[in-house]
């Protein structure tokens, strides 16, 4: 069994460089499949989801190498259009390969992603959009068989929800569709902007990323490889900000654009932390007096408060004097960390999508807790750092999907966190 032992209650002081964004690098790796050549991605974090994407690229026939945080993909030899079930199941975002494989080879054969720990994860918007571009899609026996990729035509596609994954799938597929594709109500997340920049560097014609309307002029020749640096991970940064807000201290976080964290830093500031943008890619946080709390957090698409940061910020607010209110609008099952936080003495009441986090007089206490999903795992770590005594945290496989160096980074801030591996 593997677990982190965390002895909490220490102030966190120091500097951390935040690693590359998981949610950016995954669609970028899919995009490398579009090139008839070599792409080089810098700042690729070492995460199990990244390894799963690399395994899919290798299965498709690409040559992939990694040196430190640089991943090189030679997709000139891509020769297959199927992804086996076992590789698709490794991570839910493998569905983004659908648009990329279809665009590159004219067909795709992948399995339907199931639900995940956050609840049902439908892909209706992905499929209806690709059909609108001219793809034929047949669902049988849990597989999705797509054809017609050699005769795709640009179209106007209006998303009923600004889905990040659907926007990415359409952008990838539209690169091969003859004519103009316009995505209305497109997702505006920084990861969409990163993908558009990468595709442009590959020779694609894309405009409007970061606004609600993205325009792609596709089919104008083959895309080529390019070199690109992945943006910093704003959710990892939100986790470290929450850790300092929970435990107290003063830290500098670099490698992320403060603007991309505005919704999170706004909430932590209102709750009583001092946060300053100190450079275009750096911010500092300071928390000396106990957190005040008393905030309302409602998750929504970017530039609203990110659902992925809800668990970690909630953990910090469990250590505040006054109550706070959370409304989770994005996913059904995103309060799985709550029962575990309660074991640490948190006072949280949940009704449907609303959670009321009570203030605490006595503060959090260490306990034995288990991560049930990725950001829930981040939240338990945050709470443990601000808790008196020892926390034993299990469920590390979830955490490794999105945090490449959690114990190392937290130790750099003075945290007492140790990985234990016990043979059963
Ligand atoms: C991405 C992120 C994930 C983040 C989420 C919301 C990646 C790899 N993952 O996930 O970390 O939590 O954005 O910011 O980037 N929906 C439909 N039909 C669809 C697609 C989505 O109803 O076809 C719904 C979902 O159930 C959800 C909402 O739309 O309620 C947003 O989901 P979406 O933006 O698609 O999330 P992902 O791209 O899966």
């Amino acid at each position: 069994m593997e677990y982190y032992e965390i002895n909490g209650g220490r102030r966190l002081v120091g500097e951390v460089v935040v690693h590359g964004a998981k949610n950016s690098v995954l669609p970028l790796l899919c995009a490398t499949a579009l090139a008839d050549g070599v792409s080089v991605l810098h700042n690729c974090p070492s995460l199990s989801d990244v390894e799963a994407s690399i395994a899919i690229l290798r299965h498709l026939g690409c040559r992939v190498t990694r040196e430190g945080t640089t991943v090189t993909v030679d997709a000139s030899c891509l020769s297959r259009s199927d992804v086996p079930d076992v590789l698709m199941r490794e991570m839910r975002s493998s569905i983004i390969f659908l648009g990329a494989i279809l665009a590159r080879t004219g067909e795709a054969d992948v399995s339907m992603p199931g639900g995940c720990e956050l609840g049902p994860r439908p892909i209706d918007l992905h499929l209806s959009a690709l059909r609108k571009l001219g793809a034929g899609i047949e669902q049988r026996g849990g597989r999705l068989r797509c054809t017609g990729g050699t005769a795709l035509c640009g179209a106007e596609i209006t998303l009923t929800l600004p889905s990040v994954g659907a926007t990415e799938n359409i952008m990838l597929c539209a690169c091969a569709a003859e004519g103009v594709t316009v995505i209305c109500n497109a997702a505006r997340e920084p990861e969409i902007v990163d993908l558009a920049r990468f595709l442009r560097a590959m020779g694609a014609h894309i405009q409007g990323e970061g606004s609600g309307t993205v325009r792609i002029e596709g089919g104008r020749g083959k895309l080529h490889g390019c070199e690109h640096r992945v943006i910093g991970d704003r959710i990892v940064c939100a986790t470290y900000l929450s850790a300092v807000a929970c435990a107290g201290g003063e830290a500098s976080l670099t490698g992320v654009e403060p603007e991309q964290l505005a919704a999170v830093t706004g909430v932590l500031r209102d709750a009583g932390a001092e946060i300053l943008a100190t450079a275009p890619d750096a911010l500092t946080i300071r928390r000396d007096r106990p957190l005040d709390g008393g905030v309302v957090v409602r998750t929504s698409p970017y530039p609203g408060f990110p659902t992925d940061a809800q668990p970690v910020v909630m953990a910090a607010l469990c250590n505040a004097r006054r109550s706070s209110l959370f409304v989770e609008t994005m996913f059904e099952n995103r309060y799985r960390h709550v029962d575990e936080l309660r074991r640490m003495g948190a006072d949280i009441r949940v009704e449907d999508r609303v959670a009321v986090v009570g203030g605490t007089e006595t503060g959090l206490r260490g306990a034995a807790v288990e991560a049930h999903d990725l950001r829930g795992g981040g939240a338990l770590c945050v709470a443990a750092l601000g808790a008196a005594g020892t926390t034993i945290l299990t469920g590390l496989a979830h955490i490794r999907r999105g945090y490449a160096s959690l114990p190392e980074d937290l130790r750099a801030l003075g945290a007492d966190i140790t990985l234990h591996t016990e043979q059963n």
Side-chain angles (χ1 to χ4, degrees), residues 289-314:
R289 287 175 294 115
L291 267 193
D292 197 30
V295 293
V296 176
V297 177
R298 187 187 167 83
T299 62
S300 57
Y302 193 84
F305 190 95
T307 172
D308 291 351
Q310 173 264 104
V312 294
V313 170
M314 180 184 287

Side-chain angles (χ1 to χ4, degrees), residues 218-239:
R220 294 196 355 198
K222 282 188 175 174
L223 299 184
H224 51 77
C226 69
E227 200 163 339
H228 182 84
R229 187 178 167 80
V230 180
I231 58 170
D233 197 309
R234 61 198 171 98
I235 306 302
V236 170
C237 186
T239 305

Side-chain angles (χ1 to χ4, degrees), residues 323-376:
S323 302
S324 295
L325 184 87
F326 285 78
V327 186
E328 172 55 59
T329 71
M330 304 290 287
F331 293 109
E332 266 175 38
N333 206 1
R334 197 128 213 199
Y335 286 139
R336 297 184 72 195
H337 47 286
V338 164
D339 277 344
E340 304 297 313
L341 288 173
R342 283 195 189 119
R343 286 170 175 251
M344 302 177 76
D347 165 23
I348 309 173
R349 274 155 293 155
V350 174
E351 178 134 3
D352 200 16
R353 295 193 173 218
V354 176
V356 181
V357 178
T360 167
E361 289 296 324
T362 52
L364 296 167
R365 314 178 286 276
V369 290
E370 182 179 356
H372 297 299
D373 59 51
L374 163 58
R375 303 305 169 189

Side-chain angles (χ1 to χ4, degrees), residues 135-147:
I137 305 179
E138 217 183 288
Q139 296 179 43
R140 209 185 308 145
R143 299 287 296 175
L144 285 169
R145 293 203 166 79
C146 309
T147 49

